[in-house]
Amino acid sequence: MNAPTTTMLAYIPSPPQGVWELGPFPLRAYALCIIAGIVVAVWWGNRRWIARGGQDGEVLDVAIWAVPFGLLGGRVYHVITDWKTYFGADAPKEPLDALRIWDGGLGIWGAVALGAVGAWIGARRRGIRLPAFGDAIAPPILLAQAIGRLGNYFNQELYGRETTLPWGLKIYERANEAGYADPGLIDGKSNGVVVAIVQPTFLYELLWNVLIVVLLVVVDRRFRIGHGRLFALYIAGYCLGRFFIEMLRDDRAAVANDIAGIRPNLFTAALVFACAIVYFVTAPKGREQGLEMYHPERAAELEEQGVAGYVDDWYDEDFEDADAAQRDTEPVADADTLDALDAEADAMATPESDAESEPGAEGQTVVESVDEAAVEDTESSPAGDSQAESADADDTEAVDAEAVETEASEPEVEESAAVETEADETETDEPVVESAAVNEPEAEAADAEPTDVEPADVEPTDVEPTDAENTPEKRR
């Protein structure tokens, strides 16, 4: 009994055709892929441009100039590097076929070069700086290239050498209505005859482009690249992959127009790669801030309209991190230092209350308050006024003598008041007045000399007039 066999799918089949007739209009897969790539590039590029501070719709305005220039440049580069296909006695196509861009054949180098000229014209008309604009549309352009490579798949072009790898690409023979058969026949249909199993270089380039797109987006978000440096990375990344993929190619364009045995695209890839790296290294670092992606005239116009442009919070986060690190390194004050600072702040805010709370000045403050109270009582008393008016020259001399004795006894009064204050700080000024009254007998002894003042005229609760005259104001 024979064991069952399993047939495994091997190799990638090519599409049976690349053109579908819709009445009088041919629907070409290559053209659809190019158009789809352009639409995706404009849509995504517009979103990226707005996120970088640009205005909505400006990418489309620039694309109106860049796309026609890019298509023209790509076709010109293709014809120059593959001129033997259209010119010469052995050329498989006619010279006029060089204008049939819908049949395929676009050189990416020419498309980028001349497309950049068209983009510069469109950007200049809108007041946009081209390097900043290139950074915004670099990933979308490369993604559009990846989508466009599917058109090569439908056209059975840009394939590599023959291979036995399981992902090899089948190239079929195609025939048209006239009976002409050829693998490169764009308008024909497959007859099922496999011509070769080749390296799917279109697929390699498609996957490489998608990988570079992802890397560009990650690098742009992580490092905030600007001033055309992201566009330079796109060019360098594409050229790096294209250089190695180009060495796998074996189609007519790769072998018929070589220079000293080397394909022209290898020279182009190496030269453009070196230029892109030099620009990336020498261009300004960072990203355009505010309205720097515009020329001064356009920036002033947008500023008048209240447009802020691009504001990157990445730098604010760096500043916040630096401030946090500085706060962490600053020494923390201890409790005693904080208490001292609080006391100093309170003293500056309420100096009068602090002065009353100082122990050393409390006694002096109490004495001064007692003397001031006595002066106020004396000035407000009618008896004091009548005594001052009735005093003669003898009374004046007696007052001077009493002042001398009072000065001698003043330290005792202040010491007694200080003792009373320290004994009970929470009491009011009344005990202080009582402590000062303890020394009244001494003051009354000094006032014993004959005067016209009668003791009966002084109220019991008031300080005697002679004490009022002994206050610091009278002594001075």
Side-chain angles (χ1 to χ4, degrees):
M1 181 177 180
N2 296 330
T5 59
T6 302
T7 303
M8 298 184 64
L9 178 64
Y11 308 128
I12 302 173
S14 292
Q17 65 189 90
V19 181
W20 297 268
E21 300 293 337
L22 298 179
F25 302 100
L27 185 62
R28 302 179 182 275
Y30 184 84
L32 292 177
C33 292
I34 296 298
I35 294 174
I38 294 174
V39 171
V40 171
V42 172
W43 173 77
W44 189 20
N46 186 65
R47 290 174 60 89
R48 284 180 53 83
W49 178 243
I50 294 175
R52 299 172 82 93
Q55 300 300 298
D56 187 14
E58 290 179 336
V59 171
L60 181 59
D61 294 338
V62 177
I64 291 175
W65 290 86
V67 170
F69 275 77
L71 293 175
L72 178 61
R75 188 62 176 179
V76 170
Y77 182 88
H78 165 73
V79 173
I80 291 175
T81 58
D82 195 19
W83 63 272
K84 292 181 181 180
T85 303
Y86 305 98
F87 306 98
D90 298 333
K93 295 184 178 182
E94 297 295 329
L96 290 179
D97 290 339
L99 302 178
R100 296 170 62 89
I101 191 173
W102 52 86
D103 286 343
L106 292 175
I108 187 60
W109 317 107
V112 173
L114 205 57
V117 175
W120 178 83
I121 295 174
R124 188 70 181 179
R125 292 169 59 89
R126 298 291 295 173
I128 301 171
R129 298 184 186 273
L130 190 59
F133 186 81
D135 290 331
I137 64 173
I141 288 179
L142 191 53
L143 182 60
Q145 291 179 226
I147 297 174
R149 285 306 177 200
L150 291 174
N152 302 133
Y153 173 58
F154 283 95
N155 283 354
Q156 286 192 154
E157 58 185 2
L158 298 184
Y159 49 82
R161 299 187 181 95
E162 292 190 16
T163 182
T164 58
L165 294 172
W167 56 82
L169 178 66
K170 291 181 179 181
I171 300 298
Y172 296 109
E173 187 178 65
R174 289 180 176 178
N176 58 14
E177 295 179 355
Y180 178 77
D182 186 85
L185 191 62
I186 303 298
D187 296 336
K189 295 181 180 180
S190 173
N191 56 13
V193 177
V194 177
V195 177
I197 306 297
V198 298
Q199 294 271 10
T201 52
F202 83 93
L203 181 61
Y204 298 159
E205 187 170 333
L206 187 155
L207 297 176
W208 176 259
N209 290 350
V210 173
L211 176 62
I212 298 301
V213 168
V214 174
L215 291 178
L216 289 176
V217 173
V218 172
V219 170
D220 190 33
R221 290 181 178 179
R222 176 64 181 85
F223 300 102
R224 302 295 200 272
I225 290 181
H227 301 283
R229 299 175 74 225
L230 190 69
F231 190 85
L233 278 183
Y234 143 62
I235 295 296
Y238 174 78
C239 291
L240 180 63
R242 180 64 183 269
F243 183 86
F244 292 101
I245 295 173
E246 189 71 22
M247 292 189 294
L248 299 176
R249 287 180 58 182
D250 194 30
D251 56 309
R252 177 181 177 84
V255 298
N257 303 291
D258 58 359
I259 302 174
I262 300 175
R263 290 179 288 277
N265 286 337
L266 291 177
F267 286 108
T268 306
L271 179 61
V272 175
F273 174 82
C275 294
I277 293 299
V278 171
Y279 182 89
F280 178 80
V281 173
T282 58
K285 306 300 185 294
R287 181 183 290 181
E288 296 85 353
Q289 301 293 311
L291 297 173
E292 292 178 353
M293 71 285 297
Y294 292 99
H295 290 287
E297 297 81 4
R298 176 60 172 167
E301 178 183 349
L302 293 174
E303 187 175 1
E304 291 179 356
Q305 298 175 5
V307 178
Y310 178 72
V311 180
D312 196 345
D313 58 354
W314 185 55
Y315 300 99
D316 296 337
E317 294 175 359
D318 287 348
F319 293 146
E320 292 176 359
D321 294 341
D323 294 340
Q326 183 178 2
R327 288 194 298 268
D328 293 340
T329 57
E330 290 180 353
V332 179
D334 55 8
D336 295 338
T337 305
L338 294 176
D339 292 340
L341 293 175
D342 292 340
E344 183 178 354
D346 294 339
M348 296 176 63
T350 55
E352 295 179 358
S353 60
D354 290 342
E356 292 177 358
S357 62
E358 293 180 0
E362 187 174 355
Q364 182 179 355
T365 304
V366 173
V367 173
E368 290 178 357
S369 63
V370 172
D371 294 340
E372 292 174 0
V375 171
E376 292 175 359
D377 293 339
T378 304
E379 292 178 353
S380 61
S381 175
D385 294 337
S386 61
Q387 291 172 2
E389 293 176 357
S390 62
D392 54 6
D394 294 338
D395 294 336
T396 302
E397 292 178 359
V399 170
D400 293 337
E402 291 172 359
V404 173
E405 290 182 16
T406 304
E407 289 179 359
S409 62
E410 184 178 355
E412 297 178 1
V413 176
E414 295 178 354
E415 180 178 359
S416 175
V419 171
E420 289 292 336
T421 304
E422 294 177 354
D424 191 1
E425 294 180 357
T426 60
E427 295 182 359
T428 59
D429 292 343
E430 293 179 359
V432 178
V433 176
E434 293 176 2
S435 64
V438 174
N439 294 328
E440 288 181 359
E442 297 180 2
E444 291 175 357
D447 299 334
E449 295 184 5
T451 60
D452 295 335
V453 180
E454 294 181 2
D457 296 334
V458 181
E459 296 179 3
T461 58
D462 296 335
V463 182
E464 295 181 3
T466 50
D467 289 340
E469 295 175 355
N470 292 335
T471 57
E473 288 78 358
K474 287 293 184 177
R475 291 197 298 272
R476 287 195 292 266

